Amino acid sequence: MVKRARGRLRQAGFTYLTVMFIVAILLGGLAIVGETWETSARREKEAELLFIGNQYRRAIGLYYLATPGPNKMYPRQIEDLLKDPRQPGTVRHLRKLFPDPMTGKEFVVIKGGDGGVQGVASASDVAPLKVAGFRVRDAIFEGAQKYSEWKFIHSPPAAAAVTPTAGTAATGAAGAKPPTDPIQSPGAAAPNPPGGPMQGARPPATGLEGTRH
């Protein structure tokens, strides 16, 4: 009886350890799956942030370029992108105001030199997963320590290059005079007509000059 009881205890202990081992494996697998899912979800939000941020930057640029006259200006408030108040009709530079994908709240507005809205940025201080491999328009984001450093700012186009002064010769040094045509030069002898005698030359002797009859 004692031996049977001891055997049963050993079997129960082995079964308990086996169950605990299986549970540990399952928990570890779930943790890995959860971490992988979280990373994948963050990458999707990063891609969404890049897309939406550039939509704002593009809309701000359209508003800036649509300013009548030479003095360009940025929207006074972010809502002006939905309906440009300067235009007589309904002109939309942005379809709707998108929230910040990283926080679910409104974007942080970045003011320009004229006090208008020049860009937007996320309010998240979380370190981004993406630190390299950006497109040219977003290359400034490389090495950023947090999402709030991804600032989607519209930069005014550079001033046009100065064109050459009208009237400047396309080839040759500036101010150089064109070569003088020797035929048109003063004092130059006129060209001889084809087959004609040279100017000032005596006619060839015929053998009859001075012959007396």
Side-chain angles (χ1 to χ4, degrees), residues 63-196:
Y63 184 101
Y64 181 87
L65 294 176
T67 306
N71 298 324
K72 304 301 181 183
M73 62 183 298
Y74 289 109
R76 300 298 91 188
Q77 54 186 358
I78 198 71
E79 288 79 10
D80 291 347
L81 298 175
L82 300 180
K83 185 180 184 301
D84 195 333
R86 306 165 303 176
Q87 307 297 336
T90 301
V91 177
R92 299 183 182 275
H93 303 294
L94 191 67
R95 181 168 55 87
K96 69 175 185 177
L97 296 180
F98 298 93
D100 176 6
M102 310 310 299
T103 64
K105 301 179 181 180
E106 296 180 355
F107 275 93
V108 176
V109 173
I110 301 173
K111 295 288 186 177
D114 64 349
V117 180
Q118 190 176 359
V120 297
S122 173
S124 175
D125 290 333
V126 177
L129 298 174
K130 185 179 181 66
V131 294
F134 292 91
R135 294 186 178 183
V136 176
R137 64 185 181 185
D138 301 325
I140 195 174
F141 300 159
E142 293 190 3
Q145 301 298 316
K146 46 190 177 181
Y147 290 115
S148 59
E149 296 179 1
W150 291 10
K151 301 182 185 298
F152 300 89
I153 300 175
H154 171 264
S155 299
V162 179
T163 55
T165 305
T168 304
T171 57
K177 297 181 179 180
T180 305
D181 187 346
I183 299 178
Q184 303 298 330
S185 301
N192 297 321

Side-chain angles (χ1 to χ4, degrees), residues 3-55:
K3 292 183 178 180
R4 290 181 180 179
R6 289 179 179 178
R8 289 176 181 176
L9 290 175
R10 290 177 182 176
Q11 185 176 3
F14 178 77
T15 303
Y16 176 78
L17 291 177
T18 303
V19 171
M20 291 300 295
F21 181 73
I22 294 174
V23 170
I25 293 177
L26 292 176
L27 291 177
L30 291 175
I32 294 175
V33 171
E35 183 178 356
T36 302
W37 179 86
E38 182 181 0
T39 301
S40 177
R42 280 187 59 190
R43 292 193 183 280
E44 289 182 1
K45 288 184 178 180
E46 282 186 349
E48 189 177 1
L49 175 60
L50 290 170
F51 174 77
I52 293 176
N54 280 294
Q55 288 296 307

